[in-house]
Amino acid sequence: MVDNLKILLRLYRQYTKMDLLWFLRDTRYCLLQIFSDTICACCTIAGVFLLSEKFGGFGGMNQAEILFMMGFSTLVDGIYMIFFIGNNTGMISRIIGRGQLDHVMIQPVPIWAELLAQGFSPLSGNSMLICGIGLTTYAVSRLPISVTMPWLMLLLIYAVSATALIISFMTLLSCAAFYAPAAAEEIAQVGKDLFTSLKTYPLGTMSHSVRRLFLTVIPVGLAAWFPSVLLLKAGYGEFDRSMLLQACYLPAAAFALSLLTIYVFKKGMKYYAVNGSPRYSGFGHR
């Protein structure tokens, strides 16, 4: 366990240096990407935010609470950007579908460690996280929330769990690329777009059947709305023991989906080991 952690930390240091070298060698292009990511963050939350401005809140949440949910959503996207945006790690169906998984397999480290580390972009991918922290802080300042260390820990746990849920969902879809590499090359992007377009909408006034759908089979509600509601209740002092099961649902769902994804990915790797890939593309492995 200790040796594996040392390997992972060493890989993180390596990819941090590579990200810094990109900034130093091509500063203008790197800054353009950071600026573009910031614009994307603003565009992602603009629709729901403007609706809340027009109607003074909707979906069972007032304007300030919706702003908090937007901040949490951007915070989750920021964690995703920092840890998984590089080398198409967050879009692993591209690596599998283009036959580039061999790039990972030939590295002198475990595959899981390389996949966890090679997307790490602390410099070029930090703009979304900074926006998320700033927006969440601003939203909290407008709400009667009691910010304590346990509340901040709960916020961190939910943000990490939501990120793990999104990555697991996208990787699970990406396993289709083992069996249909050309057709499923971009399927991870479809999964990402699903969360990007739907996770910021409050589900409080939707029917129970629709809400259950978005909290189980299509877990977009777990990426922002559900944890935001629990965090708001905890901050308002409305959290009690009867809500303990709800509080554990997101981390448990993320853990269960991660285990399922690991199992399916291993099955896909066995298929890949026997059949290989019928295509290879050097394009886009960055």
Side-chain angles (χ1 to χ4, degrees), residues 2 7 11 22 27 29 34 42 80 86 88 122 135 147 151 160 178 182 242 263 274:
V2 175
I7 291 173
L11 287 172
W22 179 44
T27 305
Y29 185 77
I34 293 173
C42 296
Y80 166 82
N88 276 325
L135 188 58
V147 179
W151 187 87
V160 172
F178 283 115
S242 63
Y263 173 77
V274 174

Side-chain angles (χ1 to χ4, degrees), residues 180-245:
E185 178 184 323
E186 291 294 334
I187 196 170
Q189 183 65 58
V190 176
K192 183 67 168 62
D193 290 342
L194 178 68
F195 281 94
T196 301
S197 59
L198 293 178
K199 76 177 188 298
T200 54
Y201 283 86
L203 308 178
T205 56
M206 291 188 175
S207 64
H208 291 294
S209 57
V210 173
R211 200 182 309 166
R212 279 195 295 268
L213 175 68
F214 286 148
L215 294 177
T216 52
V217 181
I218 308 175
V220 292
L222 292 177
W225 173 77
F226 185 77
S228 295
V229 169
L230 292 176
L231 285 166
L232 288 169
K233 289 183 177 180
Y236 294 158
E238 300 174 359
F239 198 90
D240 54 37
R241 292 183 179 178
S242 63
M243 299 173 60
L244 187 59
L245 191 60

Side-chain angles (χ1 to χ4, degrees), residues 6-257:
K6 288 181 179 178
I7 291 173
L8 192 59
L9 291 176
R10 187 163 63 246
L11 287 172
Y12 277 134
R13 286 197 298 269
Q14 173 187 338
Y15 283 105
T16 299
K17 292 178 182 178
M18 291 174 63
D19 197 38
L20 179 60
L21 283 174
W22 179 44
F23 175 76
L24 295 175
R25 291 175 179 175
D26 197 355
T27 305
R28 183 176 64 177
Y29 185 77
C30 185
L31 290 176
L32 283 173
Q33 175 172 310
I34 293 173
F35 179 73
S36 299
D37 290 339
T38 305
I39 297 298
C40 289
C42 296
C43 293
T44 300
I45 67 175
V48 176
F49 180 73
L50 291 175
L51 283 174
S52 67
E53 283 280 351
K54 175 68 176 179
F55 300 106
F58 64 98
M61 304 177 80
N62 60 42
Q63 185 180 350
E65 290 172 342
I66 288 178
L67 189 63
F68 175 79
M69 186 179 67
M70 298 293 101
F72 181 86
S73 173
T74 309
L75 190 64
V76 171
D77 287 339
I79 297 174
Y80 166 82
M81 291 284 288
I82 280 187
F83 286 94
F84 301 102
I85 195 60
N87 294 302
N88 276 325
T89 306
M91 301 291 172
I92 196 171
S93 62
R94 295 174 181 172
I95 298 176
I96 301 170
R98 295 170 184 170
Q100 297 167 341
L101 196 59
D102 291 347
H103 295 179
V104 179
M105 297 173 67
I106 63 175
Q107 299 298 319
V109 294
I111 292 178
W112 65 267
E114 182 66 19
L115 288 177
L116 278 178
Q118 72 172 4
F120 190 50
S121 306
L123 182 64
S124 60
N126 64 13
S127 57
M128 194 80 78
L129 183 63
I130 293 173
C131 290
I133 293 173
L135 188 58
T136 304
T137 303
Y138 175 69
V140 168
S141 69
R142 296 183 56 185
L143 290 166
I145 290 178
S146 177
V147 179
T148 60
M149 187 55 66
W151 187 87
L152 289 174
M153 289 298 298
L154 187 63
L155 173 65
L156 179 61
I157 291 171
Y158 280 169
V160 172
S161 298
T163 307
L165 183 85
I166 294 173
I167 285 294
S168 298
F169 187 83
M170 292 169 61
T171 305
L172 186 62
L173 292 179
S174 297
C175 290
F178 283 115
Y179 310 99
E185 178 184 323
E186 291 294 334
I187 196 170
Q189 183 65 58
V190 176
K192 183 67 168 62
D193 290 342
L194 178 68
F195 281 94
T196 301
S197 59
L198 293 178
K199 76 177 188 298
T200 54
Y201 283 86
L203 308 178
T205 56
M206 291 188 175
S207 64
H208 291 294
S209 57
V210 173
R211 200 182 309 166
R212 279 195 295 268
L213 175 68
F214 286 148
L215 294 177
T216 52
V217 181
I218 308 175
V220 292
L222 292 177
W225 173 77
F226 185 77
S228 295
V229 169
L230 292 176
L231 285 166
L232 288 169
K233 289 183 177 180
Y236 294 158
E238 300 174 359
F239 198 90
D240 54 37
R241 292 183 179 178
S242 63
M243 299 173 60
L244 187 59
L245 191 60
Q246 295 182 37
C248 297
Y249 179 61
L250 173 56
F255 181 71
L257 187 59

Side-chain angles (χ1 to χ4, degrees), residues 250-272:
L250 173 56
F255 181 71
L257 187 59
S258 298
L259 290 180
L260 175 62
T261 300
I262 291 171
Y263 173 77
V264 176
F265 189 84
K266 285 183 176 180
K267 297 284 286 186
M269 285 294 294
K270 290 180 180 179
Y271 181 88
Y272 187 86

